[in-house]
Amino acid sequence: MSQLPLPASIDDTLQLMDQAGYVADRSLATVLHLALKMKRPLFLEGEAGVGKTEIAKVLSTTLGRDLIRLQCYEGLDVASAVYEWNYPAQMVEIRVAEAAGDTDHSELSKSIFDERFLIKRPVLQALEPSLSGAPVFLIDELDRADEAFEAFLLEVLADNQVSIPELGTIKAEEPPIVIITTNRTREIHDALKRRCLYHWVDYPDAERELEIVRRKVPGAAERLALEVVAFVQKLRADEDLFKQPGVAETLDWATALSELNEIALDPDMASDTLGVLLKYQDDIERVRGSKVRQMIDDIRKDVPQQPSMPAV
């Protein structure tokens, strides 16, 4: 993977995202350009399924950088995220040294705490030099991790380094491109946010969401794409749902209906496939049946009809 130059302007950043099929608005392109220019971590907050994680993947592809992903979860610790020692290999080294009569404990200690026994996890991997340039380091869903791990990250984000007691401080020659995502299930501490540039990734408007569907589900009929997007937009605006559908769910629904050879929204088929779009039974029950039919009727008043579209 060959390293490509960073975009020189906001317009170049927009074009870069567009080349990878990511339909970004100018505000996102602006903060992304600044994060790359200033070599600062980018903190992306927003609902699940709006495309936060995809931004890191797009950067990796378009800039020719390695993507290193740290998926956060409750109980994530240093051993899983940063490093741990290969204890079985260290024990073998000790046994071999003892068998050879090497009883110098000081030298043996230096030998077993050598980098060859170090198992490098994502954080440490992100700080290593690479022929393709500094990697894109994705810290995904940080809100799932504990506050203690969040505090640990402060050194990494502020100084691009980690401290290993047996080896000392390991510092990156070139700061990685850090993308942090959170679904806001809990608040992240201000100390971490201050080290980052911030951007809220919102649901796209109808025009941008339609363009996303056209690009990501090219096999979907134009009429189907229009009505799927209009339906989802109306759901988000009018219905008090426990969990609103994200762009990812819009794409899944358009794909599913396309696979079923639908060329427009059919009330019965839409009701039967709501589990692709909505992930909570209460939300599905709120919408299915007569509500779906009414919503389809409403959106067709605003979406121009095509002569070839069959009547429902």
Side-chain angles (χ1 to χ4, degrees):
M1 185 180 290
S2 59
Q3 179 183 347
L4 300 175
L6 298 179
S9 66
I10 296 170
D11 289 333
D12 287 346
T13 306
L14 267 173
Q15 185 178 3
L16 196 75
M17 303 293 281
D18 185 71
Q19 288 173 353
Y22 192 99
V23 185
D25 58 23
R26 193 169 184 83
S27 62
L28 173 58
T30 300
V31 73
L32 189 55
H33 173 65
L34 288 172
L36 294 172
K37 247 343 209 184
M38 299 168 64
K39 298 185 177 181
R40 294 280 296 278
L42 178 56
F43 188 96
L44 299 174
E45 199 166 39
E47 299 294 338
V50 294
K52 302 184 298 295
T53 300
E54 190 67 19
I55 292 170
K57 296 178 181 179
V58 166
L59 285 177
S60 172
T61 301
T62 55
L63 297 178
R65 310 293 183 101
D66 295 331
L67 175 63
I68 297 174
R69 179 173 182 169
L70 175 62
Q71 180 62 54
C72 297
Y73 55 87
E74 186 177 354
L76 179 65
D77 58 9
V78 172
S80 301
V82 190
Y83 77 95
E84 65 178 326
W85 292 104
N86 188 338
Y87 296 116
Q90 286 176 318
M91 291 302 298
V92 171
E93 181 78 2
I94 293 171
R95 296 289 181 260
V96 170
E98 289 175 343
D102 185 359
T103 57
D104 187 335
H105 294 291
S106 176
E107 288 300 317
L108 186 57
S109 178
K110 291 179 182 178
S111 174
I112 62 172
F113 288 113
D114 185 83
E115 278 203 40
R116 59 200 171 101
F117 297 114
L118 190 66
I119 301 174
K120 299 175 182 179
R121 301 303 187 196
V123 173
L124 203 53
Q125 293 170 13
L127 300 178
E128 287 191 310
S130 171
L131 293 176
S132 61
V136 176
F137 182 29
L138 170 61
I139 304 175
D140 209 14
E141 297 184 315
L142 179 59
D143 51 326
R144 292 181 177 272
D146 302 323
E147 291 186 9
F149 180 73
E150 182 185 325
F152 168 81
L153 283 178
L154 295 179
E155 180 186 13
V156 178
L157 298 179
D159 302 317
N160 299 296
Q161 65 181 36
V162 293
S163 299
I164 300 177
E166 299 85 356
L167 292 178
T169 300
I170 297 178
K171 186 175 179 66
E173 295 179 6
E174 181 183 357
I177 299 170
V178 181
I179 304 293
I180 303 171
T181 76
T182 169
N183 296 332
R184 210 177 186 182
T185 58
R186 70 172 178 85
E187 286 295 329
I188 302 299
H189 198 277
D190 287 346
L192 188 142
K193 285 186 174 182
R194 284 199 305 270
R195 288 160 170 79
C196 309
L197 302 187
Y198 175 88
H199 185 74
W200 173 266
V201 183
D202 208 347
Y203 295 114
D205 59 23
E207 183 180 358
R208 193 154 63 89
E209 190 161 23
L210 179 59
E211 181 61 26
I212 293 169
V213 171
R214 284 169 175 161
R215 292 191 183 201
K216 298 296 185 181
V217 194
E222 178 66 12
R223 188 71 205 177
L224 179 65
L226 283 165
E227 292 188 354
V228 162
V229 169
F231 188 96
V232 173
Q233 290 277 330
K234 188 172 180 61
L235 263 184
R236 294 188 190 128
D238 299 346
E239 297 302 317
D240 184 21
L241 301 177
F242 181 77
K243 175 64 180 71
Q244 293 184 343
V247 180
E249 284 74 34
T250 303
L251 295 174
D252 284 345
W253 201 36
T255 301
L257 291 171
S258 183
E259 289 291 333
L260 293 170
N261 299 317
E262 296 294 306
I263 60 172
L265 280 183
D266 172 79
D268 292 334
M269 186 63 77
S271 288
D272 291 344
T273 57
L274 278 176
V276 181
L277 183 67
L278 303 173
K279 306 302 179 181
Y280 289 89
Q281 181 60 24
D282 288 348
D283 289 344
I284 293 174
E285 288 300 325
R286 181 190 296 271
V287 176
R288 75 169 10 147
S290 60
K291 184 66 177 178
V292 165
R293 183 177 295 276
Q294 180 60 53
M295 288 180 66
I296 292 175
D297 289 342
D298 289 343
I299 65 175
R300 284 184 177 161
K301 295 174 184 176
D302 300 320
V303 178
Q305 300 294 301
Q306 292 179 348
S308 60
M309 190 191 74
V312 175

